[in-house]
Amino acid sequence: MKHKNTSRSRGRKIVTALATTSAVASSAFGQVTNAPAADPMAAFKTDKGLISLTKAAPEMTPVSDYTGGFWSRATLFGDPGDWRTRAYDAGLTLDAQLTQVYQGVASGGSANGKGHAQYNGLFEANLTFDTAKAGLWSGGLFALTEQTSFGHPLKSQPGNLSPVNATALWPKPYEDSSVLMEYYLAQALPLNTVAIVGRLDPSNFLDQNSFSDTSDNQFLNVSMNANPLFGVFLTYSVYAALFMTKVNDDLTLEYGAWTPNTAPGDYGGNWNDYGIAMIPHFTYHAFNHPGMIQVIGAYTSKNALDVGNPRLVPGLITGNRPTKPDNWIVELSGEQYFWEPKGASVPQAEGGRKEDFHVPTKDFAQDRPGMGIFYRFSYVPEDRIAYNIYASGGLGGRGAIPGRPHDRFGVGPYWLKESNDLKNQPGNLLGDEVGLEAFYNFAITPYVQLSFDAQWISPGINSSHNAWVLGTRLNIRF
């Protein structure tokens, strides 16, 4: 049986996908609604009458349909003997992908154009288990993520602070390692709420948008895909309890708490400090095109410490810098589409060709076809860390070239502003950092994607030269 995902793209990774399950949450726990007599949840129910999260939002798993021909299906191995489809129907998915990057400094940087190109890889395996499909209870989904890194990623040769290759940061920055990064339960609750409890990677839930979200197939520089200042507040694998409440069709509240000092591979966790966040997430339409705005406010009891920020190149910020507890950050981010290809928005019955743009995977679901702009701006108190203001933005899209519905592209700058309170530190080692990146992701097939990437950087390390960094990336989903 083919599981065609007929739902429209519902958002950024798991966050907005979970918001669409608000009706599921209500029905799963018998919440009284004003629904008509016909069962509105019938399509989401199993044979035993339990409500399934993956039926309501198929993009909650990395892949929701394994069928199709060699050139059109979502995975390299497909569905031999229908065993992956049968497992999906029973509530179990097992998926994997490999991202490989080859990157070098063409000119400038600390290597002054003489650095050798470097290669690294990141393998990721994902396991999910739908409790409703397994006949246990409604509205539950267990998820596990394992990551293994290898190779020698480009690190200090560009001479800048923001890593030019974000894949080098998982699971442990610039180390060959293998770590179980996530193991959590997503559970539908009453009051249009979904909870996620356990070990998770916060980068899958914070600071999301359609155009600059993941180093698997979009920008490579950390500061173009996410806010590097969040590294002062959390690592890439923390214990957390997150909640998402759908207030209405346009507003979702995301909030929760985590252990900011817990590091990848530390399975016992560090419970000495805590962090909390509140994120109002607004969606809207302007000039008949979708847009999104979110305000991220976060607080942590831990001391701010630049040298411990996993989102910056280690070893480049040194010395005795002030540390203070009770740190906070606020960010405004969003996106606005200004063009969508007709075939992606007009139903097939009305002459459209929506199926040409459909790929039943989480990453393609989050990247709605079309072109638009994105932006991020954040602030941290300037007496806490070396860089307290961050901004980025640009232009991105998918399916902009006729006949290439799965290709993605992006171009934009980022800015890291040195804190005024720290500019007079001895040695004048640091300054503002500015970068510009452009990429094109060529989808050979939906499961094999080859990217070409160029970055120009004016480094925040004053002893470094302006750098050009060129690279390629190959992502394969199995």
Side-chain angles (χ1 to χ4, degrees), residues 328-350:
W328 55 270
I329 185 172
V330 62
E331 176 184 297
L332 173 68
S333 65
E335 64 182 51
Q336 175 61 60
Y337 278 81
F338 58 78
W339 175 82
E340 296 171 273
K342 182 178 180 180
S345 58
V346 179
Q348 185 178 4
E350 300 175 16

Side-chain angles (χ1 to χ4, degrees), residues 160-162 387 414-416 431-435 457-461:
N160 69 315
L161 293 165
S162 179
Y387 290 82
Y414 75 87
W415 175 44
L416 284 169
D432 292 0
E433 178 162 303
V434 177
I457 301 167
S458 177
I461 306 300

Side-chain angles (χ1 to χ4, degrees), residues 108 193 200 235 309 341-342 383 426 459:
T193 297
L200 54 86
T235 70
N309 187 342
K342 182 178 180 180
D383 60 346

